[in-house]
Amino acid sequence: MEYRPEIDGLRAVAVTSVVFFHAGFPVYGGYVGVDVFFVISGFLITSLILRAMGKESFSLTDFWVRRIRRIFPASLFMLGMVLVVGAAIMLPQEYKGLAKSAVAQCLFSGNIFFYRNTDYFAVASEYLPLLHTWSLAVEEQFYFVYPLLLMLLASLGPRKLFVCLLVLGIGSFALCVFTTARYPDAAFYLLPSRAWELLAGGILATWPTKIKLSFTSKELFSWIGIGLIFYSVYFFNSDTVFPGISAMVPVLGTVLIILGNTHGLTSIGRVLALKPVVFVGLISYSWYLWHWPIMAFMRNALFGFDHTAGTIAIVVSFIAAVLSWKFIETPFRHSSPAQKPRQVFMVAALSSFLLLLSTGIIIYMNGLPNRFSEPTRQFIASSDIPTNLQTNHERIEDFLNFHD
């Protein structure tokens, strides 16, 4: 598949929106960056699978080997580091909850875990280091089902495949609108009400090739598309009914940009294809992985989280993302193609098992309370900890000493 740098540029827009929103900057709708990611993922995965099917070279095993190389190494390393840092600064019950969320992510069910346990826009969610893994779980669940669906529908021919994906997308969107009004948490976190966003990218990838757009139409689509994305980033907020109909704004914007730049770059496409913008897009997965745990731990450890702390978190997470992309994500993604799929699956399974074993011990030992001194454990067990001392055990020690 021909490389399209403007799509990496679009990734940059998405991840930057999410990171600055989480850092507390006035991009109150920055959470829609996740929706942009969903459309891009659906488009690229569908394009790659259909291209391989057209050459009669598609294999589910090869597909999953590529997915494992793409997502597992950086994700598992991030989970391991989060558990290490959590052991240093989190109280037992918080640490036990962190371990449970790590288990959920290992089992591709982080979205279900957080659906059952938290509200994404609640203040308390800002202290959960793995909350951001819900969107990764949505994609992973989609990738379990979607290749099989394409294998089944591709035999019908391109036009019928396009129609089938369109019908499925409309059905998922209708479910999204219905559940947003009645069960908003389910609509936000769960795959059935989010699948239409990924399917929007799939529908675009099966767009009838005979339909050509004029230069003016492509420019218009691109400008409208970027306008819709920026509108949702700057004018949506936590009070916006979301996902529902509102999610159509960033989704449609992303579709229009990709469509408008399919055969040659528009003026917007050329900006998105600039090397600095593309670089941010290339590290977007790692930046997304690292930004939220760093911000959550800073909120846990500090008395407050102002713009200065947010700026520091952005810089630190960006550096972590570059290092993760260069030394973890890229080497594993481009490792030797001669490596047998069985070896890849075995390494992934063993790594996941070790992480699950570690988290199982943490959960069984109720968050490892022996990390703290006896006076601190007694204080934790018998008293409500002041909110500005919620996770830093050194401050708890100071609090105890002050009241002796």
Side-chain angles (χ1 to χ4, degrees):
M1 181 179 176
E2 182 181 354
Y3 174 61
R4 294 182 55 177
E6 83 281 4
I7 291 182
D8 272 329
L10 199 52
R11 280 195 178 112
V13 172
V15 74
T16 303
S17 301
V18 171
V19 171
F20 275 74
F21 165 67
H22 286 157
F25 284 82
V27 283
Y28 303 116
Y31 54 84
V32 303
V34 171
D35 306 87
V36 176
F37 276 128
F38 283 163
V39 178
I40 293 172
S41 294
F43 173 74
L44 293 177
I45 290 298
T46 305
S47 300
L48 291 169
I49 291 177
L50 292 180
R51 179 67 61 88
M53 286 181 176
K55 296 180 178 179
E56 298 184 352
S57 61
F58 177 72
S59 163
L60 278 175
T61 300
D62 290 342
F63 173 81
W64 272 106
V65 166
R66 288 196 299 270
R67 296 310 303 165
I68 289 172
R69 285 177 169 174
R70 174 76 173 89
I71 65 176
F72 263 54
S75 177
L76 291 177
F77 183 74
M78 181 274 295
L79 290 175
M81 290 301 297
V82 165
L83 290 172
V84 170
V85 176
I89 70 170
M90 299 186 83
L91 298 179
Q93 284 304 111
E94 293 173 317
Y95 194 44
K96 183 178 179 180
L98 175 64
K100 289 181 177 180
S101 63
V103 169
Q105 176 56 18
C106 283
L107 300 177
F108 312 115
S109 58
N111 59 327
I112 299 173
F113 176 84
F114 289 112
Y115 158 64
R116 298 179 63 182
N117 290 280
T118 190
D119 175 359
Y120 182 82
F121 293 105
V123 174
S125 67
E126 296 179 348
Y127 298 94
L128 303 176
L130 296 178
L131 177 64
H132 66 317
T133 60
W134 75 268
S135 63
L136 304 179
V138 169
E139 287 198 39
E140 289 156 1
Q141 292 163 11
F142 183 79
Y143 293 146
F144 272 118
V145 178
Y146 192 59
L148 296 173
L149 179 67
L150 283 183
M151 292 175 68
L152 177 65
L153 297 179
S155 60
L156 300 176
R159 187 173 296 277
K160 290 184 179 179
L161 172 62
F162 174 80
V163 172
C164 288
L165 292 183
L166 184 62
V167 170
L168 290 172
I170 292 173
S172 175
F173 177 69
L175 177 65
C176 177
V177 174
F178 174 82
T179 52
T180 298
R182 293 165 176 78
Y183 313 101
D185 288 341
F188 189 92
Y189 283 112
L190 301 184
L191 174 62
S193 53
R194 288 287 193 164
W196 68 274
E197 300 181 31
L198 292 132
L199 286 169
I203 293 165
L204 183 58
T206 58
W207 177 270
T209 55
K210 292 182 180 180
I211 301 177
K212 300 295 183 181
L213 300 175
S214 67
F215 173 80
T216 302
S217 298
K218 291 164 60 177
E219 282 287 337
L220 184 62
F221 282 7
S222 294
W223 278 98
I224 292 175
I226 201 69
L228 290 174
I229 291 175
F230 278 110
Y231 175 84
S232 56
V233 167
Y234 284 101
F235 292 100
F236 284 11
N237 54 47
S238 59
D239 294 326
T240 301
V241 178
F242 199 86
I245 295 176
S246 300
M248 180 62 78
V249 179
V251 168
L252 179 59
T254 307
V255 167
L256 289 176
I257 291 175
I258 296 175
L259 180 60
N261 290 272
T262 297
H263 299 290
L265 295 180
T266 63
S267 55
I268 295 297
R270 286 193 292 272
V271 173
L272 293 174
L274 292 173
K275 288 186 177 180
V277 183
V278 169
F279 177 74
V280 175
L282 290 173
I283 68 166
S284 60
Y285 175 61
S286 284
W287 200 9
Y288 185 80
L289 281 180
W290 287 103
H291 85 281
W292 182 255
I294 289 171
M295 293 177 185
F297 282 134
M298 287 181 67
R299 287 187 172 94
N300 274 302
L302 300 175
F303 284 97
F305 193 82
D306 55 17
H307 281 180
T308 300
T311 302
I312 293 172
I314 290 172
V315 173
V316 172
S317 63
F318 187 84
I319 294 171
V322 173
L323 295 174
S324 174
W325 171 75
K326 183 174 179 60
F327 296 108
I328 300 175
E329 186 181 341
T330 301
F332 280 95
R333 187 178 183 183
H334 299 292
S335 56
S336 173
Q339 191 176 25
K340 295 180 179 180
R342 180 179 296 180
Q343 294 174 325
V344 176
F345 286 121
M346 288 296 293
V347 171
L350 179 60
S351 301
S352 299
F353 172 76
L354 292 175
L355 190 62
L356 287 170
L357 180 62
S358 301
T359 52
I361 292 172
I362 296 168
I363 295 169
Y364 179 76
M365 298 295 292
N366 290 314
L368 305 180
N370 289 333
R371 293 176 290 129
F372 301 93
S373 65
E374 181 60 28
T376 303
R377 292 201 300 271
Q378 292 178 0
F379 176 70
I380 293 170
S382 62
S383 207
D384 290 331
I385 300 171
T387 56
N388 59 355
L389 302 173
Q390 44 193 323
T391 56
N392 192 311
H393 64 275
E394 292 180 357
R395 289 183 185 150
I396 295 172
E397 295 281 9
D398 293 339
F399 181 84
L400 288 170
N401 293 335
F402 178 77
H403 284 79
D404 280 343

